[in-house]
Amino acid sequence: MAKPRPMSEWQMRIMRLIVGPVSRFNARRYLASDGRSLGRIAGRDICVASMTGAKSGKRRDVPLMYVPYREGVLLVASLGGAPKHPTWYYNLVSQPDVDVRVKEKTLRLRAHLATPAEKAAVWPTCVEYYPDYANYQARTDRDIPVFICEPRA
């Protein structure tokens, strides 16, 4: 199988124009319907991660693919294999407390960026859950970050 094409600068600009408004709409619908409306992407359930903006300090509700993991979740900062990290990556690095809404249940979690050893251990689980993660990683030169989100004390 040939390596997927890298995302072009043009594709990246288009994605940035579309992703913000669509994500805000999706998050509102998801939260209002407990995930019954707009609760799946590519056949997989999504969550809404509520976090604090790194620059603004404001609450941000971000619909994301997630991987169930222990008592929390894994969040993969793939942005479809884009050459840059998604904006929400910087939010979690700056402010790791995150509330993750999965349907009607809210998980109060703390995120930490997986170390290389932790990523090596959880990446196969991520790819098993959502096989396109492997394509996204092949599409970009950046190492796609994974956040391990576990219950806050």
Side-chain angles (χ1 to χ4, degrees):
M1 177 192 255
K3 182 177 177 177
R5 268 192 168 147
M7 189 176 290
S8 70
E9 191 62 37
W10 179 83
Q11 289 170 314
M12 186 71 188
R13 285 182 190 155
I14 296 298
M15 181 186 291
R16 292 249 184 235
L17 285 173
I18 294 171
V19 167
V22 169
S23 290
R24 286 188 291 277
F25 176 77
N26 191 338
R28 284 193 303 272
R29 289 287 305 264
Y30 184 99
L31 293 171
S33 70
D34 288 335
R36 288 185 300 276
S37 179
L38 300 178
R40 294 177 71 84
I41 295 175
R44 295 282 184 220
D45 288 338
I46 64 167
C47 68
V48 171
S50 298
M51 59 191 73
T52 303
K55 291 182 182 178
S56 70
K58 295 179 181 176
R59 179 184 170 103
R60 301 290 182 211
D61 294 327
V62 184
L64 298 172
M65 186 78 71
Y66 73 97
V67 178
Y69 183 72
R70 297 181 182 162
E71 294 178 50
V73 299
L74 302 172
L75 298 176
V76 180
S78 65
L79 195 59
K84 298 177 183 176
H85 296 320
T87 303
W88 64 263
Y89 164 90
Y90 302 100
N91 296 344
L92 285 185
V93 167
S94 173
Q95 303 284 334
D97 286 348
V98 59
D99 293 337
V100 175
R101 180 83 172 266
V102 178
K103 299 196 187 265
E104 70 282 342
K105 184 176 180 182
T106 300
L107 306 171
R108 304 209 184 289
L109 306 173
R110 175 156 294 135
H112 80 269
L113 194 54
T115 65
E118 287 173 323
K119 183 180 175 189
V122 300
W123 186 250
T125 301
C126 295
V127 171
E128 181 180 335
Y129 191 80
Y130 185 61
D132 277 342
Y133 285 142
N135 295 330
Y136 298 161
Q137 183 60 77
R139 184 177 200 188
T140 185
D141 291 332
R142 74 181 169 94
D143 183 35
I144 292 177
V146 176
F147 286 93
I148 299 172
C149 304
E150 298 176 302
R152 293 195 293 254

